[in-house]
Amino acid sequence: MRFGLLGTVTVHDGERTLEVRGAKSRALLAALLFQANRPVSLGSLRNALWGEEQPASATASLHNHVRRLRQALAAEGGRLRSVPNGYLLRVDDGELDVRDFTALLGRARAAREERDWPAVSRHTAAAAALWRGEPLSDLPAVLGLDPEVRHLLQARLQVLEWRFEAELCQGRHAEAVPELARRVAEYPLHEEFHVQLITALYQGGRQADALSVFEEVRVRLAEELGTDPGPALRTVHQQVLVRDPALLRRPEPFAAVPDEPANSSADDDGSADEQLAASSATSPAQLAADTAASSATSPAQLPADTADFTGRADELRQLTDRLTAAATVGSPAVLVLSGMGGIGKTALAVHAAHRVRHLFPDGQLYVDLRGFGKGEPREPHDVLAGFLTGLGHGDQVETRNRPIPEHTDERSALLRTVLAARRVLLVLDNARDAEQVLPLLPGSGPCAVLVTTRSTLTELPGAAQFGLDPLDVEEQRALLSALCGPGRMAQDPDGALRLLAACAGHPLALRITGARLAARPGWPLGTLAQRLAAGDGRLRALSAGHLGVRATFASSYLALGDDSSGLETARAFRLLGLWPGFVFTVESAAALIGRSVGLTADLLEELVDVHLLQSPGPLQYRFHDLLGEYAAERVEEEETHETRDAARIRLMRWYAAALADASRAIQKGHGASFAAETPPAPLPAFTSAEQALQWCVQELVHIKETIRQAAHCSRPGLAWRVAIGLMGYVRHYWWTGEADACLRLALQIAERHDDLEGQAWLLRRIGAGHGMAYRTEQAVEALHTALALFEKIDDGSVPVSLLSDLSNGHNQLGRTAQALSYARQALERQRASGTRDDEGLVLSTMALSLLAARDFPAAETHLRGALELWRAHGNLPNTAITLANLGDALRALDRREEAFTALGEALAIQQRLGHFGYIADCLVITGRAHLHFAQWDDARNCFDRALQIARQHRLTAWIDQARQGLEELELRRG
């Protein structure tokens, strides 16, 4: 017999499909199958068939449906039997697709934990193959079964996610793309599929397509949910932008590590401990003998374990391995768990301690040192007295009838003596600093110490450090599901995702969320998610009873102290809260807080040490999402408006100056736009164009926020001064459209404040961006408006580059006379400047106008002059562009060898730089040269390659040009 729920409700007896007539009978079968081999009450069955509005005859009608179902099952009708107040349907192994699906899901999960990606692929593919459509698709809405259906749909999404993950981890990105694209279309708001599709496209060399997918989902999330992409989407987007090599690496598989046994009791036969004991040098019998040999008290002070402990599998495995080694090797181990308040340090430490307590038969000691939070920190003097009492001091021969010493040092020495020959586990929870912990440590013997703290206790000799980060997405889902039930998550998956985003992987926040949901069973998850929306009292909402995220953070903040050093650190914490989403460098943070680089570095590291800041990379610093919100609260409450405004302006000035430097490094040979203000802190040292460009890419999200905040400070003109510094970035990444949004936002700010100079510079940059993208009409319109504004300002500041871009724009529109006119104006203005700034630019511009006018000898002269300058400046992009144009001029002059030499060098440079638009452009020009010299096959090859690249990266202008080249080829070949 085979039953099916993953699609229409089906029954097959091995030879034929059995017909179960009537929607109510099929709904009854589905309700029984979902609870296969378990009694199902009459009330549950009535609810499955009729919902809450049941007819008076519901019970009698239910019995009739049961009779019909038995008849439909024919010879197998005996499977459905009556039980007290209900019915039970027997289903054997392999007879129900839902059970098979669940088993395959479990195998896939286990394989995934071991990173056995081929096995994950097999199990998820088999699980997905069981689906014939949406569960119960032939039934009308069955309210009583709706939670089961939602749970299955959510599980199917999990299977698909793991299946695609396994494909990517095995390097099968090309195979995954079509199916991922279909799933993205099917689930347009499911972020994980978008993350995987972006990854697959990038791994296949399709960076532009990957960026396009991100932009599409970003717009859709904003329009439909009013939210921004989640952390995973933002991270993969940044990785694609910076071409992070980590996105191309495949994870290495690792060997499975068996779980440690559960706690054993006095009645156990020992089998639960066999795995862990087998890995030890000490047998269970020997441990028992050691226990019997000790006449001392064996304290068991561990707090109760967390019943629904979830996640932290890697950390738990490492901790239990270390604790096992300490119990068996015979030398003490000190393990320090550090992390921000509420990150789950205590829960993990206690859970790990319970997992291995049978390895420490002489006792487990626990103390809350109260290093952070209410009450005074515990003194080691008093803690030592408690430990010695708990260990039965006075029961052993060597310490009998001796009182506990008065001095702390003597108590510490006595503790080391008592512990020397015992297997004892000490859990020192919530330590403030190393000074509080050091007197409590054993000196020798098979003991182990677990310390939890919000500080980084690097002063503890030989301690193994474990830093706890926020939970990952899967751990968050598992914890929230354990707290509020998988049914509620399945009923509102979108609300669940928004809750996870609001809690940002913070276990305390998730537990408070779970507690609030448990107290409000009628609330959809989306209702609470709305209340937890960032910027809308999230920290206030994250409290339940005595638990509160804000109070937890406040205890860490107040612990910084009120001496001069502590006050300075607290001030830095607050001012960093003005930009809570930033990743700071030491220099940018120094600009914001107005302190020297040396002092700022010390302050940042101190905040990292107490886990009020994170350090995601060397000399990089950021807030956890919730801590950033707390810091923002503190700066608003404790600093004046003037102080906040001055800090913001310092950082904006720093970015404006840094971008000006980066633009100069990228655009070697171009004149400066304007004199930037003296920066308030040292700027990045750009030693190459590539380094400067990489910095722009990495900082782009911060640059956008800087422009946005400028609108609300006392110097809104800083918005355009920051934005126009992106020109170097634009020249390389115009095709992403990222800079367009920055320039448009800055233009809106300038227009709002009637800032004509800002409008002129921004329109000049916007026009240049349009020109690079071959949006020529828009480019010329913006550039003419900018020119009029510069002339209106009337300070003689019309940029030479503006006149050059106008010349190029008119060239593209076929207006040769106007192009030559603007080119000559640019050349005259450049020569009148008395400098060589922009000389290469105006020579190139004049050459393009001469090419359009078919004055090829003059064009060659200007191009060779420009080429010499670009080579001297080391400006590779402009060198390549000029070589391509020179090759075109030489083609027109029928100098074939020279033309192809120039074009070949141009193409080699562009390929090395990876500029897809310019590669396509160079191929089109080369194709025309081959066409000119009747080299038909070479011409077709160039046009085909250009068309392929242009289509792959959605470069419309070059798609048209490549097609035109192919059409001309066909005409000329006849």
Side-chain angles (χ1 to χ4, degrees):
M1 186 71 74
R2 179 70 175 173
F3 299 96
L5 296 177
L6 300 178
T8 58
V9 180
T10 61
V11 184
H12 199 280
D13 66 359
E15 296 181 357
R16 62 189 179 90
T17 299
L18 303 182
E19 185 178 4
V20 180
R21 296 181 179 178
K24 285 286 191 287
S25 293
R26 292 197 301 278
L28 171 63
L29 175 60
L32 291 165
L33 287 171
F34 276 123
Q35 301 294 326
N37 301 321
R38 286 181 289 180
V40 187
S41 69
L42 295 176
S44 297
L45 292 173
R46 287 196 301 267
N47 188 55
L49 270 62
W50 289 281
E52 294 182 359
E53 298 180 5
Q54 301 173 9
S57 61
T59 300
S61 181
L62 172 63
H63 290 308
N64 286 331
H65 287 300
V66 169
R67 177 176 53 80
R68 295 191 189 106
L69 180 57
R70 281 177 171 151
Q71 291 173 349
L73 295 177
E76 295 286 342
R79 289 173 173 267
L80 177 54
R81 60 187 179 85
S82 300
V83 296
N85 196 37
Y87 292 94
L88 179 148
L89 179 63
R90 177 176 59 81
V91 177
D92 296 332
D93 289 343
E95 290 188 333
L96 177 59
D97 58 2
V98 168
R99 294 176 70 179
D100 292 347
F101 173 78
T102 303
L104 287 165
L105 179 63
R107 292 174 197 158
R109 178 181 291 108
R112 185 173 178 273
E113 289 176 356
E114 306 302 335
R115 297 179 189 171
D116 184 355
W117 301 118
V120 175
S121 290
R122 290 195 305 274
H123 298 320
T124 53
L130 292 170
W131 284 67
R132 297 169 286 110
E134 185 167 331
L136 316 188
S137 56
D138 58 335
L139 297 180
V142 184
L143 297 179
L145 299 180
D146 191 52
E148 301 286 354
V149 173
R150 288 180 179 272
H151 175 70
L152 283 172
L153 292 172
Q154 194 69 24
R156 181 177 182 242
L157 286 178
Q158 184 69 83
V159 162
L160 292 173
E161 286 180 17
W162 289 351
R163 181 181 175 187
F164 293 134
E165 180 186 24
E167 292 294 292
L168 296 180
C169 288
Q170 294 174 85
R172 296 203 287 261
H173 46 80
E175 295 89 335
V177 165
E179 179 68 9
L180 272 168
R182 187 164 73 87
R183 296 304 176 188
V184 161
E186 185 179 357
Y187 302 98
L189 298 178
H190 191 77
E191 293 194 27
E192 183 60 26
F193 287 158
H194 287 83
V195 170
Q196 291 172 326
L197 178 56
I198 290 169
T199 302
L201 289 169
Y202 181 75
Q203 289 178 346
R206 298 167 62 182
Q207 184 185 29
D209 287 342
L211 292 170
S212 177
V213 169
F214 173 82
E215 183 60 20
E216 288 171 5
V217 69
R218 183 192 67 78
V219 171
R220 190 177 295 114
L221 288 169
E223 291 178 348
E224 297 188 25
L225 299 180
T227 188
D228 292 327
L233 261 176
R234 293 198 304 270
T235 297
V236 77
H237 176 236
Q238 184 69 11
Q239 286 180 298
V240 172
L241 278 177
V242 303
R243 300 180 183 178
D244 187 347
L247 206 55
L248 298 174
R249 287 198 292 267
R250 289 165 55 186
E252 294 294 331
F254 63 90
V257 178
D259 286 340
E260 283 72 9
N263 302 327
S264 59
S265 66
D267 297 328
D268 287 343
D269 61 4
S271 60
D273 295 331
E274 286 175 1
Q275 274 188 319
L276 192 56
S279 67
S280 305
T282 306
S283 68
Q286 182 62 47
L287 285 176
D290 290 346
T291 305
S294 173
S295 61
T297 303
S298 297
Q301 298 179 359
L302 293 178
D305 197 2
T306 304
D308 54 5
F309 184 88
T310 304
R312 304 291 192 199
D314 288 342
E315 294 91 339
L316 185 60
R317 184 179 296 111
Q318 293 178 57
L319 288 175
T320 52
D321 285 349
R322 295 263 191 164
L323 293 169
T324 301
T328 57
V329 173
S331 59
V334 179
L335 314 179
V336 178
L337 284 174
S338 61
M340 61 189 291
I343 204 65
K345 303 178 294 294
T346 299
L348 175 58
V350 170
H351 188 65
H354 276 284
R355 295 276 301 261
V356 299
R357 65 180 181 178
H358 61 292
L359 296 178
F360 297 91
D362 297 323
Q364 306 92 43
L365 297 171
Y366 172 88
V367 63
D368 179 1
L369 293 173
R370 296 205 298 256
F372 300 86
K374 295 180 180 179
E376 291 296 317
R378 297 285 299 274
E379 292 294 335
H381 185 83
D382 299 327
V383 175
L384 286 164
F387 279 178
L388 289 168
T389 301
L391 288 166
H393 170 65
D395 291 341
Q396 291 179 279
V397 174
E398 67 270 22
T399 60
R400 185 177 297 151
N401 299 321
R402 289 173 54 190
I404 293 176
E406 180 62 30
H407 297 293
T408 302
D409 290 345
E410 293 176 353
R411 290 183 177 185
S412 182
L414 180 58
L415 178 67
R416 292 193 293 273
T417 299
V418 171
L419 293 176
R422 299 191 189 185
R423 288 188 179 88
V424 175
L425 175 61
L426 295 83
V427 179
L428 310 180
D429 193 20
N430 194 15
R432 186 182 184 98
D433 51 35
E435 185 178 352
Q436 194 181 25
V437 172
L438 282 168
L440 310 177
L441 299 182
S444 61
C447 292
V449 184
L450 266 175
V451 184
T452 74
T453 179
R454 299 185 197 179
S455 301
T456 304
L457 304 184
T458 55
E459 305 95 326
L460 293 181
Q465 302 286 340
F466 296 85
L468 290 192
D469 294 322
L471 299 174
D472 64 31
V473 174
E474 289 190 23
E475 291 174 326
Q476 295 175 55
R477 285 176 179 166
L479 179 54
L480 187 59
S481 177
L483 294 170
C484 72
R488 289 180 79 176
M489 291 189 68
Q491 289 171 6
D492 189 2
D494 178 68
L497 289 173
R498 289 190 287 138
L499 279 178
L500 297 182
C503 294
H506 194 268
L508 177 59
L510 283 163
R511 289 199 171 275
I512 291 170
T513 297
R516 298 194 69 183
L517 288 170
R520 298 161 178 80
W523 277 24
L525 272 61
T527 301
L528 183 55
Q530 183 64 36
R531 299 193 65 180
L532 293 180
D536 191 25
R538 176 165 51 156
L539 292 180
R540 184 174 61 254
L542 284 173
S543 61
H546 68 284
L547 298 175
V549 173
R550 179 189 281 118
T552 299
F553 292 164
S555 63
S556 294
Y557 173 67
L558 295 173
L560 293 173
D562 54 7
D563 58 4
S564 59
S565 175
L567 292 173
E568 189 69 41
T569 307
R571 174 184 177 274
F573 174 79
R574 291 193 300 273
L575 290 180
L576 292 172
L578 291 169
W579 307 79
F582 266 41
V583 176
F584 290 96
T585 62
V586 175
E587 292 78 13
S588 61
L592 178 63
I593 70 175
R595 295 293 187 260
S596 69
V597 168
L599 177 57
T600 300
D602 292 341
L603 295 173
L604 293 171
E605 286 299 321
E606 185 171 343
L607 289 169
V608 170
D609 286 344
V610 297
H611 293 280
L612 287 173
L613 270 185
Q614 298 172 333
S615 182
L619 300 179
Q620 292 182 328
Y621 305 90
R622 70 181 178 199
F623 282 115
H624 178 272
D625 190 29
L626 293 173
L627 262 173
E629 190 168 319
Y630 177 73
E633 285 186 357
R634 299 271 51 79
V635 73
E636 288 294 323
E637 292 183 16
E638 298 185 35
E639 300 290 352
T640 65
H641 171 77
E642 291 74 18
T643 298
R644 298 194 302 270
D645 186 62
R648 288 189 176 102
I649 287 173
R650 284 194 299 270
L651 188 57
M652 293 170 195
R653 286 172 48 212
W654 186 85
Y655 267 108
L659 278 165
D661 273 10
S663 191
R664 279 191 290 270
I666 296 167
Q667 303 182 100
K668 295 176 182 177
H670 288 264
S673 301
F674 60 89
E677 299 179 44
T678 302
L683 302 175
F686 301 120
T687 58
S688 67
E690 291 75 15
Q691 181 195 7
L693 187 61
Q694 182 79 353
W695 181 86
C696 289
V697 171
Q698 291 173 340
E699 293 289 331
L700 188 60
V701 64
H702 302 150
I703 293 164
K704 289 180 182 177
E705 179 63 14
T706 302
I707 294 168
R708 189 190 67 78
Q709 288 217 28
H712 308 291
C713 77
S714 60
R715 290 189 56 190
L718 284 168
W720 69 262
R721 290 179 178 271
V722 170
I724 67 171
L726 282 168
M727 200 57 203
Y729 168 86
V730 170
R731 290 197 181 278
H732 290 257
Y733 287 105
W734 54 266
W735 48 277
T736 68
E738 292 285 339
D740 292 348
C742 296
L743 293 166
R744 286 195 299 271
L745 175 60
L747 181 60
Q748 291 171 6
I749 296 170
E751 290 172 342
R752 195 182 310 147
H753 293 276
D754 295 322
D755 186 341
L756 297 185
E757 184 183 12
Q759 293 175 51
W761 278 106
L762 289 165
L763 284 165
R764 182 262 170 283
R765 294 291 194 249
I766 290 170
H770 284 317
M772 292 174 196
Y774 277 76
R775 298 187 293 265
T776 311
E777 293 283 1
Q778 295 168 266
V780 170
E781 180 182 356
L783 293 169
H784 274 299
T785 306
L787 180 60
L789 286 168
F790 276 117
E791 290 171 343
K792 187 175 182 179
I793 296 169
D794 195 28
D795 62 355
S797 61
V798 177
V800 168
S801 57
L802 170 57
L803 298 170
S804 291
D805 284 346
L806 272 169
S807 174
N808 293 333
H810 284 294
N811 252 333
Q812 291 175 18
L813 293 173
R815 303 167 185 167
T816 305
Q818 289 169 281
L820 276 168
S821 174
Y822 282 115
R824 291 189 180 105
Q825 290 180 51
L827 188 58
E828 291 169 4
R829 182 174 289 272
Q830 191 279 324
R831 287 174 175 170
S833 70
T835 71
R836 303 204 72 179
D837 286 346
D838 289 325
E839 184 178 357
L841 176 66
V842 297
L843 287 174
S844 297
T845 301
M846 179 60 75
L848 289 175
S849 297
L850 292 168
L851 277 174
R854 305 188 66 77
D855 187 350
F856 301 119
E860 180 192 359
T861 300
H862 284 81
L863 285 167
R864 291 196 182 278
L867 182 60
E868 182 182 351
L869 289 167
W870 294 133
R871 289 192 192 276
H873 288 301
N875 189 318
L876 283 178
N878 284 5
T879 297
I881 292 169
T882 306
L883 279 166
N885 290 326
L886 177 60
D888 201 29
L890 293 168
R891 168 202 59 82
L893 293 169
D894 286 324
R895 287 150 61 184
R896 183 172 65 180
E897 296 303 323
E898 292 178 78
F900 285 121
T901 298
L903 289 168
E905 185 182 355
L907 182 59
I909 293 173
Q910 295 293 15
Q911 287 173 329
R912 189 171 70 187
L913 295 174
H915 298 163
F916 302 115
Y918 293 130
I919 292 171
D921 185 56
C922 196
L923 285 168
V924 168
I925 295 173
T926 306
R928 288 175 184 157
H930 285 301
L931 198 61
H932 178 82
F933 295 110
Q935 297 169 318
W936 312 126
D937 291 341
D938 290 334
R940 175 175 293 282
N941 180 51
C942 286
F943 292 136
D944 283 342
R945 288 168 61 195
L947 185 60
Q948 181 183 5
I949 291 170
R951 281 175 173 166
Q952 185 176 358
H953 298 283
R954 303 182 184 183
L955 305 171
T956 306
W958 285 280
I959 291 175
D960 294 340
Q961 290 184 30
R963 283 175 174 166
Q964 290 169 10
L966 289 168
E967 289 170 3
E968 185 178 351
L969 172 64
E970 294 304 319
L971 287 172
R972 294 186 60 177
R973 291 187 72 170

